[in-house]
Amino acid sequence: MTVVDSSTAVLHPPAPALGPGTGRSALLIALDEVGHDYDRAARAEATWRAYRSDCEDFVRWCEVVGLVALPASEETVARYLVHLAERGRRPSTLARRLARLSVAHQM
């Protein structure tokens, strides 16, 4: 469990158990948990919901046309954006979808 210091809004990892049989793996697990907390705190919950919705749309489209969603090739992403544009999506929507797919591929 991660502790949030409310006075500085900094996330602090719990001290990992480093007893016999735990060693480095416990430390790595603790670091992974803290990293996940940083990722979650970096964006609002509404943003995560929007990311999820956009990514689910992309994955469904990939399944329909028979392409691999993650990791997606540049051609797959370009085809998806053309698909959206042909259905009247605005350039701002295309840019948002592209940004969200980029985030999904970085995680």
Side-chain angles (χ1 to χ4, degrees):
M1 176 179 195
T2 300
V3 177
V4 177
D5 179 346
S6 61
S7 66
T8 60
V10 174
L11 297 173
H12 300 284
L18 294 176
T22 58
R24 187 166 165 76
S25 63
L27 176 60
L28 292 178
I29 290 168
L31 290 172
D32 288 345
E33 289 175 7
V34 171
H36 178 73
D37 290 343
Y38 276 118
D39 287 341
R40 297 294 299 169
R43 293 173 177 87
E45 187 57 39
T47 301
W48 286 112
R49 280 192 304 272
Y51 282 177
R52 209 169 17 258
S53 174
D54 286 349
C55 287
E56 287 170 357
D57 183 66
F58 175 68
V59 168
R60 277 191 303 271
W61 178 82
C62 286
E63 288 172 353
V64 167
V65 298
L67 296 172
V68 175
L70 290 172
S73 69
E74 292 177 17
E75 293 82 9
T76 297
V77 174
R79 289 171 177 162
Y80 175 66
L81 295 175
V82 168
H83 163 78
L84 294 175
E86 289 295 308
R87 276 141 191 82
R89 300 288 193 233
R90 296 183 311 246
S92 61
T93 299
L94 302 180
R96 187 191 79 219
R97 295 281 177 105
L98 181 59
R100 291 186 178 150
L101 290 173
S102 176
V103 168
H105 279 80
Q106 293 170 24
M107 299 185 91

